[in-house]
């Protein structure tokens, strides 16, 4: 909703899951929230709020964790978006290429859809041949929910 303070409060509240012991961390139902996704969620939230300064630290921390292929590609895509905010072509290409590599390995439409969100941010950088090539490669990826 655009409220950085409320976002921080909610994320800080979610971090409390790390203090739970084994007996209290599972409710016996389908919900098994263990906090393993908090760094990537925090980074994505900050990026959505237009705070790339805060997003980078959280996204970099997320990359240091063991992540599934899809989750790693999502974080890499967010880091590429972060580069587009800064108009840092090297950063955009670096992270987007890694995400494209994961998309090629997995054939995941989810990754294509995630990278598609980057394409709309590439227009100001399109005069660079690397960005143009990147845009075409992303456009060729499959997309599914």
């Amino acid at each position: 909703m655009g409220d950085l303070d409320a976002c921080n409060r909610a994320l800080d509240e979610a971090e409390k899951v790390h203090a739970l012991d084994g007996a209290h961390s599972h409710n016996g139902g389908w919900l098994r929230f263990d906090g393993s996704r908090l760094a990537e969620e925090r980074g994505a939230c900050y990026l959505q709020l237009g705070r790339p300064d805060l997003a980078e630290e959280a996204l970099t921390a997320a990359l240091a964790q063991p992540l599934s292929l899809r989750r790693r590609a999502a974080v890499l895509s967010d880091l590429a978006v972060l580069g587009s905010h800064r108009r840092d072509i090297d950063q955009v290409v670096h992270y987007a290429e890694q995400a494209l590599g994961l998309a090629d390995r997995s054939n995941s439409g989810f990754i294509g859809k995630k990278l598609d969100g980057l394409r709309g941010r590439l227009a100001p950088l399109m005069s660079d041949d690397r960005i143009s090539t990147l845009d075409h490669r992303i456009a060729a990826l499959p997309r599914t929910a």
Side-chain angles (χ1 to χ4, degrees), residues 24-131:
H24 295 97
S25 63
H26 297 288
N27 65 4
W30 60 269
L31 182 60
R32 291 179 183 88
F33 178 71
D34 64 1
S36 64
R37 295 178 182 233
L38 280 172
E40 63 202 83
E41 291 298 329
R42 185 177 291 274
C45 287
Y46 289 152
L47 195 57
Q48 188 70 24
L49 287 167
R51 294 297 307 265
D53 54 323
L54 299 173
E56 185 168 33
E57 183 179 338
L59 293 169
T60 302
L63 273 186
Q65 299 174 6
L67 300 171
S68 70
L69 203 109
R70 285 173 46 142
R71 286 174 58 196
R72 179 164 296 280
V75 172
L76 292 167
S77 296
D78 284 345
L79 283 162
V81 169
L82 180 71
S84 73
H85 276 280
R86 294 180 173 149
R87 300 199 188 283
D88 183 339
I89 292 171
D90 291 332
Q91 182 175 350
V92 172
V93 171
H94 175 76
Y95 288 115
E97 287 288 343
Q98 288 184 57
L100 280 164
L102 295 177
D104 289 342
R105 283 182 34 209
S106 72
N107 257 347
S108 170
F110 168 81
I111 298 172
K113 189 173 182 178
K114 184 71 177 171
L115 281 168
D116 201 43
L118 170 64
R119 286 186 71 211
R121 300 173 186 272
L122 296 179
L125 309 173
M126 204 58 78
S127 61
D128 188 290
D129 289 339
R130 297 173 297 166
I131 296 295

